[in-house]
Amino acid sequence: MSNLLNGIEDILLMGPGPSNVPDEVYAALGTKTIGHLDPYFITIMDEIKAQLQKLIKTSAKLTLPASGTGSAGMETCFVNLIEPGDDILILINGVFGMRMQDLATRLGANVDTLEFEWGTPVIVDAVKKKLDAKTYKIVAVVHAETSTGVRNPVAEIGALLAATDTIYLVDTVTSLGGIDVNMDGWGIDSLYSGTQKCLSCPPGLAPVAFSEKAVAALKGRKTKVPNWYLDLTMIIKYWEGHTRAYHHTAPVNMLYGLYQALDLILAEGLDNAFERHLENHRALVAGLEDLGLQMLVAEKYRLPMLNAVKVPDGVDEAGVRTALRMEHKIEIGAGLGPLAGKIWRIGLMGHTARPENVRRVLAALKTTLAR
């Protein structure tokens, strides 16, 4: 039997993730493996931590990449902070807010939700009213809702929680590296992300960060963290200090890749990277409108890196995606939940956010829709 890896095609990844990976990151992944307790590898770990702090805009000492995809990042934050009976508020306007609710419920929290129409942002006044009526241990929200292409008002929600004991938990899986994320400036206490979106590193790591308030909550738990693999009280002993304590075998080569991906972003400059995403988003939207296509999300709430496009009446939504993949070697995403069959999700994440890719997907759509 021939090696199946030889059959993998060169696909332009313009879906909701993963994104295309730069050659420099592929080269880093192929660098010789060394031990996860090797002194030189620990030096690389320390630099990754410093890189993440710059990208997240935080001085939080507990900043590290969890071993696993963005969903592992979500679980890391929730399992370390939630104890049975805790009052939690989840703000939901898409699939990933619903996943937060599911996980918090599994952990035995008393979960309240505020739900908003998919394709629209969280309404800050509604959050304020909820907070005026009840005090919560944790308030959680998704910054960039990947299922709809909506940017939620994370800074404004953070302002409501300033000077309170409430822990503010934010999903930045799709936003980190594509738009500004300011952990300290927005009063975020716990956040998580993933490597496969705007960081343009293959799936497999999940940056997380905890403020001093979140660390105090972790240290003050009455019960043991219920997930051994993601227990930060143990993992931190591997990521901090002069003497490192073994917890689990770190994915050494994945961490090489993350180091290189972060180095590329920081060398480009954060503001330059954000502007590149925005410029290519604007070009994509203009081209889609020229094709007679409409966006789901109002302009002021749109994400530059995840574009939700309405499927015109009478168009075979799945057929268009299949034609793009099979004939044009381009991947775009489908809608989820109540938006299934109603939208396409076109990603402009990280290395994928380039003019030539915008032109290519627009040309392919034009050809496909003209049939």
Side-chain angles (χ1 to χ4, degrees):
M1 181 177 179
S2 62
N3 190 319
L4 293 176
L5 297 179
N6 295 329
I8 295 175
E9 298 178 290
D10 186 7
I11 304 298
L12 175 56
L13 299 175
M14 299 193 74
S19 61
N20 287 104
V21 176
D23 290 340
E24 295 93 333
V25 174
Y26 281 133
L29 292 166
T31 302
K32 293 179 180 178
T33 304
I34 57 178
H36 61 282
L37 290 170
D38 187 288
Y40 194 78
F41 184 66
I42 290 171
T43 299
I44 295 173
M45 290 168 58
D46 289 342
E47 183 58 25
I48 290 172
K49 178 177 175 178
Q51 290 172 318
L52 286 173
Q53 288 170 325
K54 291 176 184 176
L55 184 59
I56 296 168
K57 296 185 177 178
T58 187
S59 60
K61 292 181 181 179
L62 205 174
T63 300
L64 56 86
S67 301
T69 60
S71 296
M74 174 179 66
E75 190 142 347
T76 298
C77 292
F78 277 80
V79 300
N80 281 277
L81 292 172
I82 291 178
E83 295 189 80
D86 285 343
D87 290 322
I88 310 296
L89 176 62
I90 311 286
L91 309 176
I92 299 175
N93 59 343
V95 164
F96 295 95
M98 293 175 65
R99 288 191 181 182
M100 286 181 164
Q101 178 189 15
D102 183 12
L103 180 52
T105 302
R106 289 169 186 247
L107 293 169
N110 296 322
V111 182
D112 289 345
T113 62
L114 268 180
E115 300 193 29
F116 304 87
E117 182 181 354
W118 288 34
T120 69
V122 169
I123 299 171
V124 177
D125 286 346
V127 179
K128 183 178 186 305
K129 185 180 295 185
K130 192 77 171 176
L131 295 175
D132 287 343
K134 184 174 179 178
T135 299
Y136 294 94
K137 178 181 178 180
I138 297 172
V139 172
V141 68
V142 177
H143 186 199
E145 181 48 79
T146 319
S147 62
T148 64
V150 168
R151 182 199 310 234
N152 280 319
V154 167
E156 291 86 345
I157 297 167
L160 297 178
L161 299 170
T164 73
D165 293 329
T166 300
I167 294 169
Y168 188 26
L169 196 165
V170 179
D171 173 328
T172 67
V173 170
T174 293
S175 56
L176 189 63
I179 54 177
D180 191 30
V181 172
N182 189 338
M183 179 173 175
D184 292 356
W186 297 344
I188 298 171
D189 295 300
S190 177
L191 65 73
Y192 58 92
S193 191
T195 52
Q196 75 275 19
K197 309 275 188 170
C198 292
L199 302 188
S200 285
C201 186
L205 291 170
V208 299
F210 277 43
S211 71
E212 290 185 9
K213 184 197 295 185
V215 171
L218 172 61
K219 291 181 176 179
R221 292 180 63 99
K222 298 180 180 65
T223 59
K224 184 176 285 190
V225 174
N227 184 311
W228 182 91
Y229 185 66
L230 300 175
D231 184 346
L232 289 175
T233 65
M234 295 189 289
I235 294 172
I236 195 63
K237 296 173 184 177
Y238 175 59
W239 278 88
E240 271 190 8
H242 296 294
T243 303
R244 304 300 171 98
Y246 165 70
H247 178 255
H248 66 270
T249 303
V252 171
N253 288 61
M254 270 301 304
L255 287 162
Y256 294 166
L258 177 58
Y259 167 81
Q260 183 61 62
L262 294 171
D263 185 68
L264 290 174
I265 294 170
L266 293 172
E268 180 180 7
L270 296 185
D271 289 342
N272 293 332
F274 302 155
E275 184 63 25
R276 173 169 56 81
H277 280 82
L278 184 58
E279 288 178 355
N280 284 285
H281 159 75
R282 287 171 174 161
L284 176 65
V285 171
L288 291 170
E289 290 175 346
D290 287 343
L291 294 176
L293 298 172
Q294 298 179 332
M295 306 298 289
L296 173 71
V297 180
E299 183 175 356
K300 66 184 295 187
Y301 305 120
R302 290 175 192 161
L303 294 171
M305 73 286 293
L306 195 287
N307 299 270
V309 184
K310 293 181 180 180
V311 177
D313 292 340
V315 171
D316 180 358
E317 179 273 327
V320 169
R321 285 188 292 108
T322 299
L324 290 177
R325 170 59 180 83
M326 303 310 294
E327 299 172 23
H328 300 276
K329 310 305 178 188
I330 300 172
E331 176 184 281
I332 65 170
L336 300 174
L339 295 176
K342 298 179 181 179
I343 64 168
W344 295 300
R345 291 183 295 155
I346 301 179
L348 287 172
M349 299 178 180
H351 190 60
T352 301
R354 301 187 180 280
E356 58 270 27
N357 295 335
V358 173
R359 292 191 293 267
R360 182 173 162 187
V361 74
L362 288 171
L365 277 170
K366 182 177 181 179
T367 298
T368 303
L369 292 171
R371 293 177 179 172

